[in-house]
Amino acid sequence: MKLDIYQIDAFAAGPFEGNPAAVMPLTDWLDDSVLQQLAEENNLSETAFYTAGLPVDAGPHDPEHPAYHLRWFTPAVEVDLCGHATLATAAQIFEDVHPDADRIQFWTRSGWLHVDRGPDATLVMDFPAEPPAPTAADPRIVAALGIPVRECLKATDLVFVAESEHDIASMAPDFAVISPLKVRGIVVTAASDVEGVDFVSRWFGAAAGVQEDPVTGSAHSQIAPYWADVLGRDSLVGRQLSARGGTVHCEVRGDRVHLSGAYRRYLRGTVEF
């Protein structure tokens, strides 16, 4: 079997920045075990698979815009929501399949999502907002992070609010403690010291099977509502402080969050198996 594959860096202002995602268009769905093996072989934070065929349980959508069924796999598991691989998939469809479209719709495990063309060659994703709620901090996890923590919150991920950007940039967590946790991942965030950036973050995976994700769009659907409440404004800029780094522009709109960023295409090839 031969399949097309694209690798696109999402939330990237230049080469070798942002989060690389593999995008693999399919005519029909393969067995889930094969999808998981392909994602493991690609060995990126996420591989996105999509088809033009929608499942029978897909809700109504706007017939004026192209619609696809989209799924995301880490090397270990299928996930319910992924930002950077959604942005990468939309970029590939906009450029290669629907160059005249201004919106792409995706049916996913998180319902309908859409991606619009934004200004200056950016793409804007419409995601569900997930404000994190306060929760008790586990002292063992705090010790594994190795930095002072002001608050602990919980949404899809555990969210720890740190004292400073410097603490987040310099931290070296104990993955032996984090990796076995029964939570998708851990977000550590703090206010930014840099003009033009409101908050910074890093994301460490547990059940998702990813040690550190370069730029995590779905984490921003959790921390953007938090920082919007703290800072008193709905338009925010987040910077993820991984080794590659990446910038996510956030607009909190009630129960939705618009996440936008640039992208860079890296490769196109053929998978044979």
Side-chain angles (χ1 to χ4, degrees):
M1 180 175 288
K2 295 184 178 182
L3 299 173
D4 290 336
I5 185 169
Y6 306 84
Q7 187 170 316
I8 297 173
D9 297 336
F11 303 114
F16 313 119
E17 188 180 276
N19 199 349
V23 179
M24 300 188 70
L26 303 173
T27 53
D28 297 289
W29 288 110
L30 305 174
D31 288 344
D32 287 4
S33 61
V34 176
L35 299 178
Q36 190 63 71
Q37 287 173 314
L38 287 166
E40 183 179 7
E41 184 79 9
N42 292 337
N43 198 31
L44 297 170
S45 295
E46 302 281 351
T47 295
F49 301 95
Y50 72 86
T51 70
L54 298 176
V56 294
D57 61 343
H61 63 284
D62 188 342
E64 296 297 318
H65 304 289
Y68 293 90
H69 185 191
L70 174 63
R71 298 170 68 185
W72 312 277
F73 287 76
T74 77
V77 295
E78 184 175 7
V79 297
D80 292 337
L81 186 65
C82 177
H84 83 282
T86 301
L87 192 147
T89 303
Q92 188 268 318
I93 294 173
F94 274 130
E95 291 199 5
D96 299 339
V97 185
H98 291 288
D100 296 328
D102 57 12
R103 171 174 290 185
I104 304 294
Q105 302 170 101
F106 294 113
W107 175 253
T108 74
R109 288 170 63 157
S110 292
W112 280 107
L113 310 174
H114 66 255
V115 184
D116 294 335
R117 294 186 189 271
D120 302 320
T122 61
L123 299 180
V124 183
M125 301 185 296
D126 178 85
F127 271 28
E130 193 180 0
T135 190
D138 184 329
R140 198 168 75 98
I141 300 175
V142 174
L145 296 176
I147 60 172
V149 169
R150 290 171 42 195
E151 293 181 72
C152 179
L153 308 108
K154 177 73 167 63
T156 291
D157 300 313
L158 279 173
V159 178
F160 291 90
V161 182
E163 293 285 350
S164 71
E165 177 173 338
H166 172 76
D167 287 342
I168 291 180
S170 61
M171 67 186 293
D174 184 348
F175 290 107
V177 175
I178 292 174
S179 297
L181 296 175
K182 304 301 182 184
V183 64
R184 188 188 74 159
I186 288 177
V187 188
V188 185
T189 185
S192 176
D193 299 331
V194 177
E195 185 176 355
V197 178
D198 296 295
F199 63 89
V200 297
S201 65
R202 289 173 72 183
W203 188 94
F204 307 104
V210 175
Q211 193 169 83
E212 181 171 4
D213 197 34
V215 191
T216 315
S218 58
H220 286 74
S221 67
Q222 301 168 64
I223 56 177
Y226 169 84
W227 285 111
D229 184 59
V230 169
L231 299 176
R233 60 179 183 275
D234 294 334
S235 295
L236 304 160
V237 178
R239 177 77 182 173
Q240 198 150 326
L241 299 181
S242 63
R244 291 176 63 96
T247 300
V248 183
H249 294 263
C250 310
E251 183 83 27
V252 179
R253 299 190 174 188
D255 63 353
R256 308 294 293 182
V257 178
H258 288 185
L259 306 173
S260 62
Y263 65 90
R264 293 291 292 252
R265 296 184 73 133
Y266 179 70
L267 67 81
R268 175 178 182 172
T270 304
V271 170
E272 299 184 24
F273 63 98

